[in-house]
Amino acid sequence: MLALSLALGGCATDKPIGEKRFENSGFERGTLRGWTAEGAAFGDECVSVDNKDADGNYYYKEGEFFFSGGKAPKGTRGTLTSETFTIEGDKIGFLIGAGSDPDKCYVSIVDEKGNELARRGNDEFGMAGYYNSMHRVVIDVSAHKGKKAAVKIVDNDAGNDNFNYLNVDDFILNYQGETEEVSKTKAADKYISENSSKINAQYRHTYHAMPPVGWMNDPNGFGYAFGKYQLFYQFHPYSSAWGPMHWGHYQSSDLVKWELMPTALAPDTAFDANGCFSGTSIVHNDKMYLMYTAVLDPFQTQALAVSDDGIKFTKRGRVISSDATPPDSSKNDFRDPKVFRRGDSFYALIGSKSNAGEGQILLYKSADLMQWQYVGVAHRDRRTNGIYECPDLATFGDKDVLITSPQGFATNEWRHENLHSNLYMVGNLNTETGKFTIESEDEIDSGLDFYAPQTMSSPDGRTIMIAWMQMWSRSLPTQAHGWAGAMILPRELSLVNGKLYQKPIREIEAYRQNKVEKDSLTVNGEASVEGVEGTTVELSFTLDMGTASRAGVKIFAGLDHETLVYYDKATDLVVIDRSECGVRITGDGKEKDAAIRHAKVDVKNNSVTFRIFLDKSSAEVFINDGERTLTSNVYSSPSDTGIKFFSQGGAATVRNLTKYDIVVD
Ligand code: FRU
């Protein structure tokens, strides 16, 4: 009942209707037109488009332009007065930033004679966001309704060393919304800005997305919008352990270099106070929508946020409550919407669990992203012991691929050896009934650290997948270093004869340097090649097994440590073994181990091909052109930079060996 009443009451709108402004009240003319300046602190050079200051901190402007006081000559004073208007509403709202001394820099409301009616400085200086960041405040003018008045921005601070100027924007005369005095997204950004340089960088990757500080899990809202790739992620800035979930945000032009953006969502409303859990994004009518799981313990509902610029997100409220689930379903395990469009309708696949503990995925339909109807159960599975987390859907020709991350999925020989696993099903989704008809299924990645994959379509038509390169219920050596979690190198997917193939995104090739090649290397015991070493490398070769029973490569190899990647002829398995890597990872007691994983491959002509990406503390192994992959983190010592080939039981040959350093500055 509580869930339903909150669900109905939780809708906020983007902007109040009928906002009243005065001439150039948001500086959108690009000049100070309409305002009268006195003194040197207020010139046209201060009307700025930059959304970041010199230190990379966001101003959080509204629209294209805002007033950036720091662009005036240092130590100057002055006033800037608007045209006259009649006070009609109770509150005048605007954005304010900088102005370290609110007694010297402030915004006044003055009457026609210039007498001050009310005043507001940046009383939250340094609290809400970084110093230059603006946040919304209001001035109460209810006692002055009907009077003629003007906005007068005052800079009476001649200092030049401590934000002695004001940033202001977007004056609204009849403001009806809330103030943002304590903005949790900006507080997160401030924390990042002050703490990210304090983390220990020993295991930091160089070409994988990672949290700037704190904890990262699932990728969220992976997509393309506003001319960039967009990657959000489950984020807890304040510690390297999972905590109240925010959505962190990165943008990229090439899926390799990620630019940190302001935190997109924080658990800051009455309907998501316990967390903004995973979800996806969709672009509709030039706006970007995030559909995420709003958590108000113990309830999980689906909520929507929207953005005009892909930077600032406004929550629209709850849109699907857990009352809209089948009667035999858990009301508290209902999460991770994958939103997509088919024809004129929007659909959402949502992770769920029956009361009997079976994982299931539910389908919902909407015409406008706001009103949703339940369609049916897409898939229900006995083999899980928990929820089917993070559903995803990709389409290849006339086939749909349903992707999910089942908790506690039963191990099947070498497949699903992790306690929390990953799975894809090939078939078709019937959007009328909701049913997904399965033709075949398989594991996506068989390594130790791969979870919660999401796919997106790139502008050039590729299906690209990203995933969390970490695993639940494991010891995490980087936690002591102030961070945890990373993303895989994004992969291009294709479906060949009902089987998913994965290739690293081609954009990574632009970062190759220092090529080393060797046509053929005989390995009988152990062998190495000069120049083939390092921990930020791409390595590819064909392994001709010859008479060997087992052969492969030792990575992160040093005097005391090594991680093995090899093919074992007797079992027909490719194995990754990090048991001697340096730092022992422990798992949940329910997992058979947290060191060795297997993948069965199709071996032709007694040979297997490998393409391996190492990045400081990770190894991504692509076998036989992406037929199978093994992704695992490896925590070794800084001196473990060796790469050595080995064979057992006979001699093998390494052919077409190529090594590149991957260098991303
Ligand atoms: C998967 C998951 C999701 C949930 C999120 C919370 O890793 O458990 O189901 O939305 O993490 O951080």
Side-chain angles (χ1 to χ4, degrees), residues 217-218 234 242 245 277-278 335-336 389-390 451-452 472:
N217 59 289
D218 315 350
Q234 290 286 279
W242 188 88
M245 279 293 113
F277 277 18
S278 286
R335 58 180 181 264
D336 311 337
E389 297 189 304
C390 303
Y451 199 66
W472 293 112

Side-chain angles (χ1 to χ4, degrees), residues 195 302 344 376 454:
N195 291 281
Q302 316 317 317
D344 291 336
Q454 282 200 342

Side-chain angles (χ1 to χ4, degrees), residues 11-53:
C11 263
T13 50
D14 215 354
K15 274 188 183 162
I17 300 155
E19 281 173 355
K20 291 214 165 60
R21 294 160 188 271
F22 50 84
E23 166 61 11
N24 203 12
S25 68
F27 305 95
E28 293 304 311
R29 301 264 186 207
T31 65
L32 290 179
R33 194 172 130 177
W35 295 83
T36 307
E38 277 175 24
F42 296 93
D44 279 342
E45 73 275 14
C46 300
V47 181
S48 174
V49 290
D50 301 336
N51 205 14
K52 277 198 226 175
D53 70 8

Side-chain angles (χ1 to χ4, degrees), residues 357-410:
E358 303 149 311
Q360 64 185 14
I361 297 171
L362 308 175
L363 184 72
Y364 293 79
K365 181 176 181 179
S366 171
D368 60 3
L369 294 168
M370 291 297 292
Q371 308 288 329
W372 291 86
Q373 294 89 43
Y374 169 67
V375 180
V377 179
H379 180 62
R380 182 177 275 198
D381 204 321
R382 291 234 160 100
R383 292 168 298 174
T384 49
N385 181 20
I387 178 172
Y388 254 5
E389 297 189 304
C390 303
D392 192 88
L393 191 78
T395 300
F396 300 88
D398 60 357
K399 295 283 178 237
D400 295 322
V401 176
L402 182 59
I403 287 173
T404 182
S405 297
Q407 292 181 321
F409 198 73

